[in-house]
Amino acid sequence: MYFVDRSVAVIKPKEPFLQWLNSVPGNDMDLSLDSLRTDCTVILLPEFTDPEEGINHVDEMYEQLFKMELASWYEDESLWPKDLSLKAFWEWFDVEIHATVIDSVEGDITNMPAHEL
């Protein structure tokens, strides 16, 4: 195991995200907020010592994160909410910043653009 020169942000949906999912026409999923917050997106960030630096970095890329989270459920942008502002992002998501990242896997990390997943 070894330390990685990165920090992480965990993006956790909040109630407005669940309300949006439940309002999408034809949605027949039975989701709870707990289920949405169980397996969340984790983003590698530059290494920070102050969590506020991590929040500032998330602020700089919030629109990309917001769209990525919406597209993970519905790619049709006409179904997305109209307000994709920074204020809306923070109303829709909690973000946890963690400074310590340890890689427990031998071998190199493979890089792949998020849109190819």
Side-chain angles (χ1 to χ4, degrees):
M1 289 195 287
Y2 57 92
F3 286 95
V4 178
D5 63 345
R6 298 286 186 269
S7 297
V8 298
V10 181
I11 313 299
K12 293 188 170 190
K14 292 168 46 175
E15 186 65 31
F17 190 88
L18 177 62
Q19 290 174 356
W20 165 71
L21 281 175
N22 288 333
S23 72
V24 173
N27 174 11
D28 60 356
M29 295 178 277
D30 185 25
L31 298 169
S32 69
L33 191 56
D34 286 340
S35 67
L36 287 177
R37 293 171 65 92
T38 299
D39 184 18
C40 299
T41 302
V42 177
I43 305 293
L44 289 174
L45 303 174
E47 189 173 27
F48 296 115
T49 53
D50 178 4
E52 195 60 37
E53 291 178 79
I55 295 296
N56 291 338
H57 192 79
V58 169
D59 280 350
E60 292 172 11
M61 58 187 296
Y62 85 89
E63 188 174 7
Q64 182 181 3
L65 294 172
F66 208 157
K67 289 178 177 181
M68 184 179 65
E69 290 295 315
L70 296 171
S72 71
W73 290 91
Y74 293 101
E75 291 183 9
D76 182 353
E77 294 181 22
S78 70
L79 299 173
W80 293 2
K82 302 300 178 226
D83 183 4
L84 299 180
S85 67
L86 179 61
K87 181 179 183 290
F89 175 82
W90 287 107
E91 290 171 352
W92 282 47
F93 301 97
D94 283 326
V95 177
E96 294 178 358
I97 302 294
H98 300 275
T100 303
V101 178
I102 298 173
D103 191 343
S104 67
V105 178
E106 292 294 325
D108 294 334
I109 295 174
T110 304
N111 294 319
M112 181 186 316
H115 68 273
E116 291 183 16
L117 296 177

